[in-house]
Amino acid sequence: MNSPSRPVTLLDKSDVLDGLFASWRNIDALLQTVRPEDWTAPTSLPGWTVHDVVAHMVGTESMLQGMPTPQADIDVAALEHVRNDIGVLNEHWVWKLRDLGHTELHGEFRNVTAQRQVVLSEMPAEEWNTTTATPAGPDTYGRFMRVRVFDCWMHELDIRDALGRPAGSDELDGPASRLALDEMTASMGFVVGKLGGAPDGSRVRIELTGPLAREINVAVDGRGRVVPDFGADEPTTTITLDAVLFTRVAGGRTTPATAGTEIGYTGDEEVSRRIVERLNYVI
């Protein structure tokens, strides 16, 4: 039974699937342009190349299709970059697919996402809204699929970073970017209030700039809550940074120290800097 303090997230199926399918199409198009030698380029994810990132996405969608987790011939939990049980699960798939040729791996990505597209399109509303285990805790299957949008969208950026081809305004335009930021926004109450330790009475505004500009407002009263605005009150602290940089810091792809002056602080700077230092909440 769901706790009254944790209501489930009901999301429009067609909207979320538009974003997820768009993300898969974008990744497919990007992979068609990757040169053979660049598949082994290291990404910002420790231990993973471009090939490994694609293998991870193939593995996740294969698992969601009901395929059993393969067994590796090494103890993947002992690898330096594997930090938790989810990392162990991911690494089994990456290890299995590491020796697959790049063309074959790209084909596997196309095949499994095509299969998932059929399954998800045909899923009844009752199943879409059923509570299940998700990376964000117990919530609807629809919320789980929005997390998948976020994950795939982030991995497209990982590949682009590794290739030195950052996303421009055209690549960022579309439902996948919006839904990825919606998913991240939903976690900011926890990040600001719990991880960042913003004290009661704090009104924290994260002002995102660039093509994906938006405001994220978090009021802290016992716990952090994302709110539309602060009414007549001004924020007690404001953190300003480009939206893509926000996703890279929150996803552990870069650090606040590396970002440096690209992040602006006004108001209670001690609180805002502490929040940014602990912004990386992604598993």
Side-chain angles (χ1 to χ4, degrees), residues 95-223:
W95 194 262
K96 175 194 176 185
L97 297 170
R98 185 161 281 157
D99 292 333
L100 198 65
H102 310 316
T103 301
E104 291 78 10
L105 181 64
H106 186 185
E108 288 295 323
F109 176 83
R110 283 177 164 173
N111 289 338
V112 74
T113 53
Q115 293 169 22
R116 289 292 294 153
Q117 185 165 337
V118 172
V119 170
L120 291 168
S121 297
E122 296 178 350
M123 180 175 287
E126 294 79 7
E127 187 175 350
W128 179 261
N129 292 323
T130 296
T131 301
T132 187
T134 85
D139 211 325
T140 60
Y141 197 84
R143 171 77 185 278
F144 191 1
M145 292 304 99
R146 190 175 71 179
V147 174
R148 294 301 308 133
V149 179
F150 158 72
D151 190 58
C152 292
W153 183 82
M154 286 285 281
H155 287 317
E156 180 189 346
L157 297 186
D158 293 331
I159 295 169
R160 288 186 173 281
D161 285 353
L163 301 177
R165 291 161 53 187
S169 298
D170 290 344
E171 289 86 5
L172 293 172
D173 184 36
S177 297
R178 171 177 55 81
L179 287 160
L181 279 171
D182 286 349
E183 179 56 40
M184 299 187 79
T185 296
S187 297
M188 286 303 107
F190 168 74
V191 170
V192 168
K194 183 72 171 180
L195 300 183
D200 279 356
S202 295
R203 297 182 297 278
V204 178
R205 174 165 294 158
I206 303 175
E207 191 170 285
L208 304 183
T209 62
L212 301 179
R214 67 165 66 186
E215 285 183 352
I216 304 172
N217 297 306
V218 179
V220 183
D221 182 10
R223 63 184 181 89

Side-chain angles (χ1 to χ4, degrees), residues 8-276:
V8 297
T9 309
L10 297 177
L11 297 170
D12 181 83
K13 178 185 169 186
S14 61
D15 183 49
V16 174
L17 293 188
D18 282 349
L20 184 57
F21 299 164
S23 182
W24 289 341
R25 288 193 301 271
N26 293 341
I27 292 167
D28 179 33
L30 176 61
L31 295 181
Q32 293 179 53
T33 69
V34 179
R35 299 177 302 179
E37 62 269 27
D38 287 339
W39 281 84
T40 56
T43 70
S44 56
L45 298 171
W48 281 8
T49 63
V50 169
H51 186 284
D52 295 332
V53 168
V54 178
H56 160 60
M57 291 188 285
V58 169
T60 301
E61 299 307 330
S62 298
M63 178 189 68
L64 291 172
Q65 275 294 89
M67 294 181 62
T69 302
Q71 294 304 305
D73 55 4
I74 65 164
D75 180 11
V76 296
L79 296 172
E80 185 176 354
H81 61 274
V82 176
R83 299 181 297 175
N84 49 47
D85 290 342
I86 292 179
V88 170
L89 180 66
N90 292 338
E91 204 65 33
H92 276 286
W93 285 101
V94 170
W95 194 262
K96 175 194 176 185
L97 297 170
R98 185 161 281 157
D99 292 333
L100 198 65
H102 310 316
T103 301
E104 291 78 10
L105 181 64
H106 186 185
E108 288 295 323
F109 176 83
R110 283 177 164 173
N111 289 338
V112 74
T113 53
Q115 293 169 22
R116 289 292 294 153
Q117 185 165 337
V118 172
V119 170
L120 291 168
S121 297
E122 296 178 350
M123 180 175 287
E126 294 79 7
E127 187 175 350
W128 179 261
N129 292 323
T130 296
T131 301
T132 187
T134 85
D139 211 325
T140 60
Y141 197 84
R143 171 77 185 278
F144 191 1
M145 292 304 99
R146 190 175 71 179
V147 174
R148 294 301 308 133
V149 179
F150 158 72
D151 190 58
C152 292
W153 183 82
M154 286 285 281
H155 287 317
E156 180 189 346
L157 297 186
D158 293 331
I159 295 169
R160 288 186 173 281
D161 285 353
L163 301 177
R165 291 161 53 187
S169 298
D170 290 344
E171 289 86 5
L172 293 172
D173 184 36
S177 297
R178 171 177 55 81
L179 287 160
L181 279 171
D182 286 349
E183 179 56 40
M184 299 187 79
T185 296
S187 297
M188 286 303 107
F190 168 74
V191 170
V192 168
K194 183 72 171 180
L195 300 183
D200 279 356
S202 295
R203 297 182 297 278
V204 178
R205 174 165 294 158
I206 303 175
E207 191 170 285
L208 304 183
T209 62
L212 301 179
R214 67 165 66 186
E215 285 183 352
I216 304 172
N217 297 306
V218 179
V220 183
D221 182 10
R223 63 184 181 89
R225 293 181 300 107
V226 177
V227 296
D229 55 55
F230 301 125
D233 296 323
E234 292 294 319
T236 57
T237 186
T238 299
I239 302 162
T240 305
L241 71 168
D242 177 81
V244 173
L245 177 59
F246 165 75
T247 69
R248 307 314 276 163
V249 175
R253 272 63 168 184
T254 190
T255 66
T258 301
T261 58
E262 294 182 70
I263 305 177
Y265 307 91
T266 56
D268 191 330
E269 189 168 334
E270 179 182 354
V271 169
S272 59
R273 287 188 178 274
R274 185 168 66 240
I275 292 167
V276 171

